[in-house]
Amino acid sequence: MPQSLPDPVLILDFGSQLTQNIARRIRELEIYSEILPHTVSIGDIRAKKPRALILSGGPSSVFEKGAPAVDPEIFNLGVPVLGICYGMQLMAHVLGGKVVSAEVREYGVTPITIEADASSLWKVFSPASAVLMSHGDTILKLPSGFRKTGHTRSTPIAAMEDVKKRLYGVQFHPEVTQTLQGVPFLKNFLLEIANISPNWTLTGYIDRQIAEISRTVGKDHLICALSGGIDSTVTALLCHLALGDRFQAVFVDNGLMRSGEARQIIVDLTHLKLPLLHVNAEKTFLDRLKGIRDPERKRKVIGKTFIDVFWEEALHLPVRPRYLAQGTLYPDVIESVSHKGPSSVIKSHHNVGGLPKKNPFLLVEPLKDLFKDEVRRLGKELGLPETFIRKQPFPGPGLAIRIIGSVTPERLRIVQEADRIVREELDHSPYAATLWQYFAVLLPIQSVGVMGDQRTYENVIAIRTVSSQDGMTADVGEIPYPALAHLSHRIIAEVRGVNRVVYDISAKPPSTIEWE
Ligand code: XMP
């Protein structure tokens, strides 16, 4: 962690799905925030010099045995504390109040009434402001020194404060858009109560990172694997700015990219003047994938092949690099420090992160403090074209995980051609802006058709269009039926070997976005 980051607003995580939202909302207010597990020691909290503390929500009940707790000393640090949902209940519980299981659980958007004697923190709420509630427990008795500042129809104590000690609690979730005054409320807390002046800008971040990379790498050389995605490209741009000709980018072309994409990546990156080594490894990848049908095996083989090819190139450069840059983002860091530990493996994701145990390089991770939307903004400041920044996410294992069953050159051609048509039709359509991803999947079955007067027995393509905020959950990104019918018509007419197109109408969860 570079020393030069601003003192943070610290968010202690009690296992809520929404903890990341809190950090993002705060950063959008240009205030630096960090998430730590609730188990962090009071010494470590002090060492961070937090400007305010926020206690997140969580799925537990404070009165359960083994429920996530917190060192009561955090309420004596002299910095303002805001407890959200479980965080509020924990604050009440630790400070001598009483929390019980609610008679009426409250889930959904509800009007809140702010009490007449509440402090100015609550002034952002109008008489019937809507807030998002999601709780089964409730506060029955306030700790001493506190007063109630809001109630809803089902929850008598929906907000509380101890103005003298600057301790505040909300049963609702200010970090979600459904709470219409949520962001103004957080802003009021941070600016008025915690006296923070916003100073978190990405321009400052670029300068700090360039200085930090130069300092870390010194006179050595650094290598970076480029995938053509935004994270690795922004990482490379920062490292290049810091190190000049002691930087080398390597693009391992696995042959599993979308039609024309590898060429476009090279054009874009050359345009950015990045020193680029293009390694065409399609044959190696396809050879090693021969006969493999199991999705996890496929992912593992691709990950391993990537490392082998990359290593081979890296270790034979004229000057052996000592450092390797990776586009690790803040959510990956949070995941690894979360009190729950890394979530169970649903799919083993392939990126440079799959480093072998005997990694000969020292790591540089200049984006590890940032969220994806911050990386996009950084990319823009560094001169990446809008088309590059708005690219659909593309999985590391490429089209191999959209070819269900074995990967052969012929099946790769089919999915590439179908995918090209999907993109041609949707890229410039009015729906593109509402979609997170849209693509074609080749299924491992054949079906009977009739073309001209001939019976055919050919492949089936599935079309997937999803909307999502962050890829963690997704809905079917609906597109009108005539557009779908047109897609189907074009794919069957233009892609040799396909006689049927189906449409995937599954949300995530329970399905995932990719099919493998
Ligand atoms: P799933 O299929 O898990 O995908 O719902 C969620 C998002 O992640 C992308 N994805 C990957 N990205 N390496 C990546 O960098 C991978 O191995 C990988 N697998 C899935 C997927 O495209 C979607 O946006």
Side-chain angles (χ1 to χ4, degrees):
M1 174 79 49
Q3 312 263 297
S4 44
L5 284 170
D7 293 341
V9 169
L10 278 189
I11 300 158
L12 300 190
D13 178 31
F14 294 91
S16 166
Q17 300 289 331
L18 295 169
T19 304
Q20 282 197 35
N21 281 39
I22 307 173
R24 288 169 73 153
R25 294 293 91 81
I26 296 176
R27 295 222 190 157
E28 282 158 16
L29 293 169
E30 298 191 349
I31 295 171
Y32 183 64
S33 63
E34 277 183 28
I35 300 173
L36 291 177
H38 70 91
T39 46
V40 64
S41 74
I42 192 75
D44 286 348
I45 293 179
R46 276 209 189 91
K48 288 269 180 193
K49 300 208 218 99
R51 298 198 280 179
L53 286 177
I54 297 191
L55 314 182
S56 84
S60 316
S61 287
V62 291
F63 44 78
E64 265 169 19
K65 218 171 144 224
V70 77
D71 189 329
E73 262 310 293
I74 64 160
F75 300 112
N76 296 324
L77 291 174
V79 297
V81 185
L82 172 67
I84 296 176
C85 196
Y86 181 85
M88 176 202 194
Q89 294 164 5
L90 187 66
M91 183 186 279
H93 180 70
V94 170
L95 296 175
K98 188 163 175 58
V99 180
V100 294
S101 180
E103 269 172 34
V104 185
R105 293 160 171 232
E106 200 178 26
Y107 294 101
V109 176
T110 320
I112 189 167
T113 305
I114 299 298
E115 313 306 333
D117 61 348
S119 73
S120 64
L121 169 66
W122 309 91
K123 69 182 179 213
V124 295
F125 293 101
S126 49
S129 285
V131 295
L132 182 86
M133 288 289 200
S134 176
H135 63 113
D137 294 346
T138 193
I139 294 174
L140 190 66
K141 181 174 145 280
L142 289 168
S144 78
F146 278 78
R147 71 176 159 212
K148 151 176 158 175
T149 55
H151 66 269
T152 66
R153 205 151 45 128
S154 325
T155 305
I157 301 178
M160 64 180 194
E161 66 184 359
D162 176 342
V163 175
K164 234 160 94 202
K165 292 200 175 136
R166 294 195 295 169
L167 305 178
Y168 302 84
V170 287
Q171 186 56 71
F172 59 87
H173 289 273
E175 70 276 29
V176 296
T177 48
Q178 291 96 322
T179 299
L180 293 178
Q181 301 307 321
V183 170
F185 173 75
L186 288 172
K187 185 173 176 184
N188 207 10
F189 172 70
L190 296 168
L191 270 59
E192 303 300 325
I193 307 292
N195 289 319
I196 299 173
S197 318
N199 66 348
W200 168 243
T201 65
L202 289 171
T203 314
Y205 192 84
I206 292 176
D207 296 341
R208 276 196 297 269
Q209 283 306 320
I210 291 175
E212 177 71 14
I213 296 165
S214 301
R215 198 185 58 71
T216 307
V217 177
K219 297 253 170 294
D220 283 307
H221 285 231
L222 175 146
I223 190 171
C224 177
L226 283 180
S227 66
I230 180 101
D231 306 342
S232 62
T233 305
V234 171
T235 301
L237 287 170
L238 286 172
C239 292
H240 187 221
L241 282 171
L243 304 171
D245 59 9
R246 284 177 294 115
F247 165 83
Q248 178 68 56
V250 178
F251 169 43
V252 176
D253 181 356
N254 58 16
L256 302 166
M257 310 209 74
R258 288 171 284 200
S259 156
E261 192 163 26
R263 206 171 343 110
Q264 189 57 47
I265 289 172
I266 294 163
V267 170
D268 286 340
L269 298 180
T270 313
H271 196 69
L272 293 165
K273 303 201 169 34
L274 283 177
L276 185 67
L277 189 64
H278 172 213
V279 188
N280 186 343
E282 174 170 350
K283 187 168 175 330
T284 312
F285 277 86
L286 288 183
D287 281 351
R288 293 213 197 161
L289 281 169
K290 226 176 242 165
I292 296 178
R293 305 173 67 88
D294 176 69
E296 273 302 286
R297 276 260 295 143
K298 249 188 218 176
R299 281 174 173 272
K300 296 249 158 67
V301 166
I302 293 169
K304 169 83 172 62
T305 309
F306 173 84
I307 297 287
D308 291 349
V309 174
F310 179 74
W311 250 222
E312 185 61 21
E313 294 299 325
L315 298 179
H316 290 94
L317 288 171
V319 180
R320 174 84 70 93
R322 195 153 173 242
Y323 289 86
L324 170 73
Q326 282 204 130
T328 313
L329 300 191
Y330 192 45
D332 309 325
V333 178
I334 299 169
E335 184 66 16
S336 64
V337 300
S338 157
H339 81 277
K340 296 169 289 184
S343 50
S344 64
V345 174
I346 297 176
K347 299 174 184 182
S348 43
H349 279 204
H350 152 65
N351 48 35
V352 197
L355 290 170
K357 285 203 182 72
K358 271 178 69 188
N359 167 27
F361 303 110
L362 297 169
L363 284 184
V364 168
E365 297 174 305
L367 308 183
K368 72 176 187 327
D369 305 307
L370 302 185
F371 288 108
K372 189 86 171 183
D373 46 340
E374 292 174 318
V375 176
R376 290 208 178 98
R377 274 165 46 212
L378 208 61
K380 209 167 168 176
E381 291 209 23
L382 290 167
L384 281 178
E386 196 62 29
T387 45
F388 198 102
I389 289 168
R390 296 283 146 220
K391 263 202 237 185
Q392 295 184 52
F394 189 64
L399 296 176
I401 58 167
R402 295 178 184 168
I403 297 173
I404 315 308
S406 58
V407 180
T408 64
E410 172 63 0
R411 302 191 80 219
L412 182 58
R413 173 195 65 79
I414 291 176
V415 90
Q416 273 175 334
E417 289 183 12
D419 176 81
R420 178 178 48 76
I421 293 171
V422 173
R423 283 188 294 139
E424 278 172 7
E425 289 297 324
L426 295 183
D427 272 356
H428 302 292
S429 73
Y431 331 115
T434 65
L435 297 177
W436 166 264
Q437 273 172 304
Y438 38 96
F439 55 85
V441 181
L442 175 60
L443 304 192
I445 52 167
Q446 296 193 302
S447 79
V448 174
V450 51
M451 275 172 149
D453 284 333
Q454 296 277 318
R455 175 188 189 272
T456 58
Y457 189 55
E458 290 182 332
N459 292 289
V460 181
I461 284 285
I463 295 174
R464 181 105 168 108
T465 57
V466 296
S467 61
S468 174
Q469 288 293 320
D470 51 14
M472 303 295 285
T473 61
D475 285 317
V476 178
E478 284 181 42
I479 56 176
Y481 182 76
L484 279 176
H486 181 62
L487 266 179
S488 161
H489 179 79
R490 269 199 71 188
I491 292 172
I492 294 172
E494 295 175 35
V495 183
R496 231 177 342 103
V498 175
N499 68 357
R500 191 175 298 268
V501 171
V502 297
Y503 186 45
D504 180 349
I505 51 166
S506 338
K508 171 183 180 176
S511 305
T512 52
I513 294 177
E514 306 289 348
W515 277 45
E516 288 195 334

